[in-house]
Amino acid sequence: MTLISSPNPVSYPRETISDGLAENEALLRQLFEHCFDVVFQRVDLSDECKILMVYVDGMIDKNVITSPLFQSWVLEKTGAGGNDTVDYPLLKEHFAVVRSIRSESRLQEIVESVLRAYLAVFVDGEPEAILLEASSWEHRGVEEPAIEVAIRGPRESFTETLQTNTSLIRRRIQTPNLKLEPVVLGTFSKTRIVIAYVEGQARPDLIELVKQRMSGIQLDIVLESGYIEELIEDRSFSPFPQVMNTERPDIVAASLMDGRVAILTDGTPQALIVPITFWTAFQAGEDYYERFMYATLVRWARFILFAISLYLPSLYVAITTFHPQLLPTNFLQNITSAREGVPFPGVIEALLMEFLFEGLREAGVRLPKAVGSAVSIVGALVIGEAAVKAGIVSAPMVIIVSLTGIASFAIPRYNMSIPFRILRFPLLISSGAFGLFGITMGTLIILIHMAKLESFGVPYLSPIAPFQPGQIKDVLIRAPRRKMNSTQASIIRKPRRR
C-alpha cells in the first residue's frame, strides 16, 4: 500500500515539565506563540498559592471555570489548617467531582491535550499538570439523512462529532461485545478515529487486517473519511469502490451485526464499512424494514435500471450504426427521419449529450439548493429542445440520454453509481467503433476485473462468483426474515480466501 510521507512533528524543548509555575508558563507561551485563542489564566491567591489554567478559547465549557463551586474550591485555597499552601491531592479530588481528570507530566501530551479541548491546571511546586475534560463547542445536532433519504425506518444521521456518532451506534447495539477502539491519525490534525466491530461476529483476521492498514497510514492531516478510504482499499486504481460509506447509524449497526467493521472519523458524518461486495450497491436500508415481496420487487427494478443506465446509450449507438436490421422497419424509419440533418455520427452525438447531462448534474449539485434543482431541470429542457431544433442532436438521442440519467439515480449507494457513470463512456466509444461486439468485449473486461477484485479478502462478486447457492438469500432477492437470519452475511464471517 502506498503511504504518504509526513514531515517531522513539532519539536519540543524538553520532555517533561518542571515544578516551577513561571518556567512552565514561559515554556507554554513559547510553544503557543501567535496563538491568540490559547488563554493563560493565572490565579495568585498569595505568594505561596499560585495556579495557572491553560485552555483554548471556544473549545471548552467556560461554565466549569466560572461556576461558583469551581471558584470556591480554587479561591479558598483548599489548604489544611488555614495555611496559604495548596493541598494538591485534595485539589485533584475536588476537580474530579466536576469532570473526569488525569495527571500528566509529559510536555507533548499536555500540549496535545490542550488542543483537544482539555483544561490544563498547573500548581506551583508540582511537576505535573491536572488535565480536566471540559470540551464544549458549537456542533450540528442529529438531523435527517441528507443523501440516504429514509422512506421507512430511523430518521437519524451521523454528525461531525465523534462522541455523538458512537452513542448513536451504542444505542442500537447494547452489548459489551461492541468494541470501539480509538486511533489517532494526522501529524498535525491529530484526528480521532474509532474502529467499531462486534466481538464474536467479525472475523479476528478481518479486524487485524483493518488495524494493520490503519496503522500504516501516514498523513499530515485528516479532514474527512475519504482521506482514509483511498489508502485502505485493496486496489485504488479500480473504478469500483471497495469501501462503503454511509451517514445512517442503523445501516452501520446492521453491518456490524453482519460481521463487518466500521470506521468512524471525527469531523465527518460519513462512516466507512468494510468489507463490501458488488451487490451492496443494490441494497437499501428500507429493504429490511418492508415486507420481503416488496423489497425483492424493488431490488429487481434496481437491477433493470442499472442495466439501462450502463448499456442503453451504447446499445442505441451500436444498433443504429451497425445493426439496423434488429429494429422494426417503422421504428427504424422514424429514427432515420429524426436524424436527418444531424451533422455528427451517433457515437459523437451520444458523447456530446452524455457530457452535457453530466455537466447539468454537477451544476445542480454545486449551485445553492434554492436554484440548483430548477437550473438543472430547466437547463436540460431548454438546451435539449434548442439542440434538437438546431439540428445538433436528434430527438431520440435526447430521450435515450434522459432515460439513462433517470435510471442512474435508482442505485441506493451514491459511491457505487459513480463507476457506472465512468464506464458508460468507454462502452459508448467501444460500441461506436465495433458495434455489439465492442459492447460484449467491454462487458467481458469489466466482469474479469470484478472477478479478480477483493474487498478485505472477500471476493467482490461473491456469493455469485464464486457461486454459493446457500448465500444468495440477500443478493438477487430479499428472503423472508425467518429464512435469512441463519445464513445472513456468512460470506463476510467465513475465513479469508487464500
Side-chain angles (χ1 to χ4, degrees), residues 90-143:
L90 184 59
L91 181 65
K92 290 175 63 176
E93 292 180 7
H94 287 326
F95 284 157
V97 175
V98 182
R99 295 288 180 93
S100 60
I101 69 166
R102 59 188 175 90
S103 301
E104 186 59 61
S105 60
R106 294 172 295 173
L107 178 61
Q108 179 178 353
E109 183 61 29
I110 293 173
V111 171
E112 292 179 355
S113 297
V114 170
L115 296 175
R116 290 198 301 267
Y118 276 79
L119 170 66
V121 181
F122 299 84
V123 178
D124 195 15
E126 296 294 334
E128 63 180 17
I130 302 174
L131 298 177
L132 187 68
E133 200 285 318
S135 61
S136 177
W137 53 76
E138 296 296 329
H139 59 274
R140 183 171 61 93
V142 178
E143 301 174 354

Side-chain angles (χ1 to χ4, degrees), residues 314-335:
S314 303
L315 287 173
Y316 175 80
V317 170
I319 293 176
T320 56
T321 305
F322 293 94
H323 314 282
Q325 66 276 10
L326 297 178
L327 297 176
T329 304
N330 294 335
F331 186 38
L332 180 60
Q333 289 177 351
N334 293 334
I335 293 177

Side-chain angles (χ1 to χ4, degrees), residues 316 320 334-347 349 394 396:
Y316 175 80
T320 56
N334 293 334
I335 293 177
T336 304
S337 62
R339 295 200 74 253
E340 288 182 359
V342 177
F344 306 110
V347 61
E349 185 184 3
S394 61

Side-chain angles (χ1 to χ4, degrees), residues 470-491:
Q471 311 303 326
I472 61 174
K473 297 182 179 181
D474 192 26
V475 178
L476 302 179
I477 62 172
R478 207 280 272 174
R481 180 69 62 182
R482 65 173 63 91
K483 298 291 185 180
M484 196 172 57
N485 280 341
S486 60
T487 58
Q488 186 178 14
S490 59
I491 186 65

Side-chain angles (χ1 to χ4, degrees), residues 154-228:
R155 300 184 183 274
E156 294 177 327
S157 66
F158 288 127
T159 69
E160 288 76 14
T161 307
L162 185 62
Q163 289 84 354
T164 302
N165 296 342
T166 54
S167 66
L168 289 173
I169 300 176
R170 182 70 72 177
R171 281 174 51 196
R172 290 165 169 81
I173 306 179
Q174 300 182 13
T175 171
N177 287 339
L178 174 60
K179 307 301 180 182
L180 303 172
E181 299 192 15
V183 179
V184 177
L185 291 180
T187 304
F188 292 102
S189 63
K190 304 294 182 183
T191 305
R192 294 175 300 164
I193 296 168
V194 167
I195 300 175
Y197 60 92
V198 177
E199 192 175 38
Q201 298 291 106
R203 304 191 322 261
D205 63 304
L206 172 61
I207 300 171
E208 186 62 30
L209 181 60
V210 173
K211 293 179 182 179
Q212 178 183 350
R213 295 188 181 182
M214 293 289 291
S215 63
I217 296 177
Q218 297 180 9
L219 290 171
D220 299 340
I221 187 171
V222 177
L223 299 178
E224 214 272 340
S225 57
Y227 284 59
I228 304 170

